[in-house]
Amino acid sequence: LLASLAEHYKHHWFPEKPFKGSGYRCIRINHKMDPIISKAASQIGLSLPQLYQLLPSELTLWVDPYEVSYRIGEDGSICVLYEATATKPVSSYGMLSCKNQMMLGRTSPSKNYIMTVSS
């Protein structure tokens, strides 16, 4: 998965502008498996049915420099999975991340979910 993500994000990773390219780095499972996830699973011998059993049917994962966040379901709460501090101040240049755009104008209340990972 790490190698697949690194290759996919090679020309879409901007630590100096973490929100630039955030839509491209968004991984979605919405009753259809994201191709990056299915490729990585296939390489380690997981079938698509096995993958659907392991992951939620609706999952959004935002992979940005310094932060990885996720949401389970369309109305789920957005949770931070990983957060790091930038080595120098980061400016958003007035842009909203994909995650922040999704939170604007939300009309329904959030539902709380817990995502666990097992090995």
Side-chain angles (χ1 to χ4, degrees):
L1 182 58
L2 179 61
S4 294
L5 290 174
E7 179 62 28
H8 186 69
Y9 297 160
K10 188 187 314 184
H11 301 292
H12 296 86
W13 194 258
F14 309 97
E16 69 284 356
K17 299 177 194 172
F19 300 132
K20 181 178 179 180
S22 65
Y24 184 82
R25 295 187 308 269
C26 183
I27 296 173
R28 291 272 294 150
I29 300 170
N30 191 5
H31 304 289
K32 180 180 174 189
M33 190 59 59
D34 189 284
I36 295 173
I37 302 296
S38 48
K39 177 183 174 186
S42 174
Q43 290 175 340
I44 63 168
L46 281 175
S47 68
L48 202 53
Q50 289 172 315
L51 199 53
Y52 277 112
Q53 285 182 328
L54 294 170
L55 296 171
S57 61
E58 292 187 21
L59 172 68
T60 305
L61 186 70
W62 294 277
V63 182
D64 295 317
Y66 314 114
E67 184 177 294
V68 177
S69 303
Y70 69 93
R71 180 185 67 203
I72 298 174
E74 288 299 318
D75 294 321
S77 297
I78 295 175
C79 302
V80 175
L81 186 62
Y82 171 82
E83 189 172 34
T85 305
T87 54
K88 60 181 183 178
V90 176
S91 171
S92 65
Y93 294 91
M95 296 175 58
L96 289 173
S97 69
C98 178
K99 174 183 69 175
N100 291 337
Q101 288 175 19
M102 298 282 285
M103 292 186 340
L104 288 176
R106 181 175 244 174
T107 57
S108 59
S110 295
K111 296 177 188 143
N112 293 318
Y113 293 91
I114 297 175
M115 182 169 137
T116 60
V117 179
S118 61
S119 54

